[in-house]
Amino acid sequence: MPVTAGVDIGSTASKTVIMVDREPVAQIIGPSTTNPKRTAQEIYDKALEQAGVKASEVNYIVGTGYGRTQVEFATKNISEITCHGRGAHLLQPSVRTVIDVGGQDTKAICVDSQGNLLDFAMNAKCAAGTGWFVEAMSRSMDVSIDEVQESYFGEGDPCTFTSMCCVFAESEVINLINEGVPLPRIVKGLLQSLVIRVSSLTQRLGVVEDLVMTGGVAKNKGVQDAIEQKLKTKMQGFNGTDPQIVGALGAAVIAADFAEGKAVTS
């Protein structure tokens, strides 16, 4: 009965999952900080406390995410691309395409019937098409992320944005607000601009169903709907599991593979 952990140190959020005999018994999500080593230890300790497990009882730990090399207590470090694929497969075995919209990049991931990585495409050179873009635009409009989601489903046709660049898009947002353009029209236009980047990555690989979305942005129903409209494909869900925890969950699953001597990931 292996006890394993996955610790995902992302650009904006850090997550930990503890598993006992491949069943999740604890999960923690917290903000990433300028001290990833301390952050990793803190969320790991909280997860252990939540699970009622001692550190000495954990058989294997996998670190993942941007700060995976800073998880000093990890047994092994694995790419978040691989971990998101395995985590998504555990929650939705039929998945073949995973879209991960992170805080600072976006990835489209293809997996096989076991959740193993086949191919991926990644946008890491521009903030457009990432979670940071949504947050930056919400600040420009002086509304919360929840209000962005609500406004997307409001009345009105989407505005057209002439630039995908965050800096220029922000300027256009301010001009539209000053012109009195209703918020739903602005939000729809912004999210459709974001989806252009996301869909181009997915289409580069070829959209293979079933399709799921992971990461914190996956909790925004407006973004999800915009992606579905663009790709003309229905997104599958995770039956109530927080999509932001998927990377850490996949890391814990891979840790269980290593603990049991069944690992196929190096």
Side-chain angles (χ1 to χ4, degrees):
M1 190 175 71
V3 180
T4 61
V7 182
D8 178 5
I9 306 300
S11 59
T12 58
S14 295
K15 295 77 66 176
T16 296
V17 168
I18 305 291
M19 301 185 85
V20 176
D21 198 22
R22 294 184 177 269
E23 289 293 329
V25 295
Q27 64 179 49
I28 295 291
I29 301 175
S32 293
T33 70
T34 56
N35 191 332
K37 292 180 181 179
R38 185 174 64 194
T39 299
Q41 189 66 61
E42 287 177 350
I43 62 168
Y44 179 60
D45 290 343
K46 288 180 181 178
L48 290 174
E49 182 179 359
Q50 186 182 91
V53 171
K54 296 179 181 178
S56 60
E57 296 175 317
V58 180
N59 302 108
Y60 209 99
I61 306 168
V62 167
T64 191
Y66 272 112
R68 59 184 177 272
T69 60
Q70 301 301 306
V71 186
E72 295 183 316
F73 51 88
T75 318
K76 194 174 187 66
N77 296 322
I78 301 289
S79 166
E80 66 270 21
I81 295 170
T82 299
C83 292
H84 275 266
R86 288 297 301 279
H89 174 265
L90 178 70
L91 297 171
Q92 187 63 259
S94 62
V95 66
R96 294 297 179 273
T97 304
V98 180
I99 297 175
D100 172 32
V101 182
Q104 294 185 359
D105 69 17
T106 298
K107 311 173 192 74
I109 306 164
C110 290
V111 299
D112 64 15
S113 60
Q114 302 303 311
N116 298 313
L117 178 66
L118 292 177
D119 199 2
F120 74 94
M122 181 174 177
N123 164 36
K125 295 182 178 180
C126 179
T130 69
W132 189 89
F133 178 83
V134 179
E135 291 182 6
M137 294 305 107
S138 69
R139 288 194 296 269
S140 298
M141 295 180 288
D142 194 25
V143 297
S144 67
I145 296 297
D146 288 341
E147 289 175 295
V148 168
Q149 175 177 277
E150 293 170 4
S151 295
Y152 173 84
F153 293 102
E155 296 183 356
D157 295 328
C159 294
T160 299
F161 284 82
T162 59
S163 176
M164 290 292 295
C165 173
C166 286
V167 175
F168 292 121
E170 183 174 16
S171 177
E172 289 188 63
V173 165
I174 294 171
N175 288 336
L176 289 169
I177 291 173
N178 289 335
E179 292 170 7
V181 176
L183 188 61
R185 294 191 59 206
I186 300 174
V187 169
K188 289 179 185 180
L190 284 170
L191 295 193
Q192 288 186 6
S193 296
L194 178 147
V195 166
I196 290 173
R197 287 291 179 93
V198 175
S199 62
S200 66
L201 290 177
T202 309
Q203 291 169 334
R204 190 187 310 169
L205 295 179
V207 180
V208 179
E209 296 183 347
D210 282 341
L211 178 72
V212 299
M213 187 175 175
T214 63
V217 178
K219 292 184 275 191
N220 189 308
K221 299 301 182 183
V223 174
Q224 180 176 316
D225 182 79
I227 292 176
E228 289 178 337
Q229 296 290 338
K230 182 67 175 179
L231 297 179
K232 296 179 172 59
T233 302
K234 184 68 177 177
M235 202 88 67
Q236 298 300 311
F238 291 133
N239 299 318
T241 299
D242 192 326
Q244 198 166 10
I245 209 75
V246 173
L249 180 64
V253 171
I254 294 172
D257 290 343
F258 278 105
E260 297 172 1
K262 301 176 182 177
V264 295
T265 302
S266 60

